[in-house]
Amino acid sequence: MSDQAATANSTAKTGQEQAVAAWIDYLNQARLDRLIRTFRQQDVHLAAAVGSINDALLEINKVVASNRGGTKGMHGFIAEVAEVGIGNARDLIVGQEARYEWVDDNGPIDLLRSGVGIQQKFYAAGGRFGLGAVAEHFARYPDYIANGNRYQIPKDHYETIRGLLRMSEQDASALSRSAEGPSFRDWKRVQEFFANGAVPFESLEPAHLDYREVQQGTYRETLQAEEASVRRTYQTRRDAAHMASRPSIAEAAKATGAAAAVEGSAAFITAVLAKRRAGTKLSDFAADDWAEISEQTGVGFATGGVRGLSVYVLTNFTASPAAVANAVVTAGFGIAEQANRFRCGEISEVEFIENAETVALEASVSAVSSLIGQAIVPVPVVGTVIGNTVGMLMYRTAKESLSTREAAIIAQYLEEQRTLRAQLTAEHQELIDELNAALTTYLDLLERAFSPDIGTALAGSIDLARVLGVSDDEILDSDDKTLDYFLL
């Protein structure tokens, strides 16, 4: 394979790896974006729900201040306004449209809920749980139920009526009227009311509140409790959204599978192209060729799976950018490969260190290039791939240029060292020759200076003194100098 083809394959591989990492990062970001949108929507829902309750409270305050309905009828108006405010608040807090509307025209309909008319009957007089008031209204408006409208009574009254209606006479005979519950007489009244079928039980529905909760002295506490309930619902839904946005095993499996498929497919294509570049036609592929391709594809699938899972874990549990997480994984794979080659004796320790440094450097360049590309081209995956491609091409171009320059510098350095070594060798030999000559002369002078013959020793001593730099005035080379030196 040519160097150009190898560079192209290497760049394509790093681009594919960074694309997988960018896709995983996009999945993570999309999940977080959904969470943020959900939080914002829930904030809007909470404000609307609390606003509905506050509007109801203000309206009820007006009813109380004006003494509307008097002592007996005021609680009916309180119940109507509270039903609208609470009903809409419970719809709004879960993101639904407000369905309730207060009619307030003293007509046959008190409320509207999604277009359905509702007549409220919050009566306790007569011990009939509001059924007497329902009968009176139905007598005035006999087409009320046929027109699709409904009657609404306090929630506790509705539960009591339903229990009595379903109760057998034998069980009802054991009832006794007390503050704790209805009596046998109440049971008979309920049975008789629904026996004629004029007002079926299905036309009744419970209100959101009990009878006692809409009295003049309790409505504030009731609405405050409802606001607290709405806020609890808000927090519950917020917690549920946060839990739903957390990394999951299913999403990790999705990322792992996709990464394995991409890297395995890329490995298959690369292996086939390598065979084709070597001159083997596709139709001439032998069993050994396909076995080699299958092995490389399997390694690609396994590597991709590990990469996908690792990047998913790193980006979600260590807050690492996807490009950096992929660089860590890529460097890990590369160093592990070099370590295996070192253990098998294919490379030396120095080569292992150098190769590991190169692997880490290339992974870092890929990560930085991908981050820059994503920032410049803020399109998921596309920006990452473009940044990686441009960055790696620039890096390899610079690396090749640097390698050529380094080779020239090294060759020049070696030539200079060779010339310098030859020069120093010649100078060293000259100094050795001079030293040998000087040493020979010196030894000859010593031999003569210490000769047993006095005349020879005297002449030798004079020559040695001159060689050692003694001035002629100080050398005793005549009788006069000798006499002067010893006698004077």
Side-chain angles (χ1 to χ4, degrees):
M1 182 184 297
S2 66
D3 292 340
Q4 185 176 4
T7 300
N9 285 344
S10 180
T11 302
K13 188 174 187 303
T14 58
Q16 166 256 308
E17 293 169 352
Q18 288 293 354
V20 169
W23 176 74
I24 294 175
D25 187 56
Y26 172 73
L27 291 180
N28 296 336
Q29 189 60 50
R31 189 177 68 249
L32 294 177
D33 290 344
R34 287 194 300 270
L35 176 63
I36 293 173
R37 287 196 299 269
T38 300
F39 279 175
R40 289 175 178 171
Q41 290 172 353
Q42 288 175 345
D43 290 341
V44 173
H45 298 160
L46 176 63
V50 172
S52 177
I53 294 174
N54 290 335
D55 290 343
L57 181 59
L58 292 175
E59 191 63 39
I60 294 174
N61 288 339
K62 294 178 183 179
V63 170
V64 174
S66 63
N67 196 31
R68 186 175 181 183
T71 304
K72 294 183 178 181
M74 182 185 296
H75 72 280
F77 290 110
I78 295 175
E80 292 172 12
V81 177
E83 184 70 20
V84 172
I86 291 175
N88 286 339
R90 293 185 181 182
D91 288 338
L92 292 169
I93 194 62
V94 295
Q96 298 177 359
E97 295 291 334
R99 298 177 298 159
Y100 289 84
E101 179 184 352
W102 188 29
V103 177
D104 193 25
D105 62 357
N106 294 320
I109 295 175
D110 295 329
L111 317 173
L112 285 174
R113 184 183 61 227
S114 300
V116 176
I118 297 175
Q119 172 65 215
Q120 265 197 354
K121 294 302 178 183
F122 270 64
Y123 286 92
R128 301 180 65 183
F129 309 107
L131 292 179
V134 171
E136 292 175 5
H137 183 274
F138 184 70
R140 291 197 303 271
Y141 305 100
D143 295 332
Y144 179 81
I145 297 177
N147 291 334
N149 301 313
R150 301 179 65 80
Y151 288 104
Q152 190 178 87
I153 60 177
K155 184 173 64 175
D156 53 339
H157 288 183
Y158 179 86
E159 296 296 335
T160 300
I161 292 172
R162 183 172 62 177
L164 292 173
L165 187 61
R166 295 175 178 178
M167 188 179 296
S168 66
E169 183 175 2
Q170 181 180 358
D171 293 336
S173 62
L175 298 175
S176 60
R177 184 69 176 186
S178 67
E180 300 298 328
S183 64
F184 179 67
R185 184 179 179 182
D186 295 328
W187 177 84
K188 291 181 64 176
R189 287 176 177 175
V190 170
Q191 296 292 330
E192 290 170 359
F193 180 84
F194 292 106
N196 59 23
V199 179
F201 179 76
E202 290 74 18
S203 65
L204 269 65
E205 67 176 42
H208 287 107
L209 302 173
D210 292 343
Y211 181 82
R212 65 174 181 81
E213 293 178 312
V214 292
Q215 301 302 306
Q216 182 177 350
T218 61
Y219 73 89
R220 290 181 181 277
E221 180 182 350
T222 298
L223 292 177
Q224 289 173 357
E226 187 62 30
E227 181 179 343
S229 176
V230 163
R231 292 186 182 279
R232 286 194 298 272
T233 301
Y234 163 80
Q235 190 60 49
T236 299
R237 292 174 63 83
R238 189 180 180 89
D239 292 342
H242 183 263
M243 289 295 296
S245 70
R246 297 179 65 180
S248 63
I249 296 177
E251 192 173 56
K254 180 180 179 181
T256 301
V262 170
E263 198 146 341
S265 301
F268 173 80
I269 294 172
T270 301
V272 172
L273 289 177
K275 295 289 184 183
R276 293 288 293 114
R277 290 194 184 99
T280 305
K281 295 181 179 180
L282 191 63
S283 58
D284 295 335
F285 280 11
D288 292 341
D289 295 325
W290 286 114
E292 183 179 348
I293 292 173
S294 298
E295 181 181 356
Q296 295 180 20
T297 303
V299 172
F301 269 103
T303 303
V306 173
R307 183 187 308 281
L309 180 60
S310 300
V311 171
Y312 185 86
V313 171
L314 288 172
T315 53
N316 282 288
F317 296 102
T318 65
S320 300
V324 176
N326 179 70
V328 172
V329 177
T330 300
F333 283 141
I335 293 174
E337 180 183 358
Q338 297 302 319
N340 183 62
R341 293 180 62 192
F342 174 65
R343 284 194 298 269
C344 294
E346 297 179 10
I347 57 176
S348 65
E349 182 177 354
V350 174
E351 289 174 321
F352 165 71
I353 295 174
E354 292 177 348
N355 293 346
E357 290 176 346
T358 301
V359 167
L361 176 60
E362 292 187 351
S364 300
V365 171
S366 176
V368 173
S369 302
S370 299
L371 290 172
I372 295 174
Q374 186 62 52
I376 296 175
V377 185
V379 179
V381 181
V382 175
T384 297
V385 174
I386 292 175
N388 175 80
T389 303
V390 173
M392 293 306 293
L393 287 176
M394 292 177 62
Y395 164 72
R396 291 196 169 94
T397 300
K399 179 182 177 182
E400 291 173 0
S401 299
L402 183 61
S403 298
T404 303
R405 177 62 177 161
E406 286 177 344
I409 291 174
I410 291 172
Q412 180 181 354
Y413 173 77
L414 291 175
E415 178 61 24
E416 292 175 352
Q417 291 297 312
R418 186 190 63 77
T419 302
L420 179 61
R421 186 168 55 251
Q423 179 182 348
L424 293 176
T425 300
E427 293 177 356
H428 178 261
Q429 188 60 47
E430 290 178 2
L431 291 174
I432 293 296
D433 293 341
E434 291 178 2
L435 182 61
N436 287 335
L439 184 61
T440 300
T441 301
Y442 177 70
L443 293 175
D444 181 63
L445 290 173
L446 286 178
E447 183 178 358
R448 288 193 299 138
F450 293 95
S451 173
D453 182 70
I454 296 176
T456 302
L458 180 58
S461 298
I462 293 171
D463 292 338
L464 178 61
R466 286 173 179 162
V467 170
L468 294 177
V470 180
S471 65
D472 289 340
D473 294 339
E474 297 179 357
I475 296 175
L476 304 179
D477 56 356
S478 66
D479 293 339
D480 293 339
K481 288 182 179 180
T482 302
L483 292 173
D484 290 342
Y485 178 80
F486 287 104
L487 297 179
L488 295 180

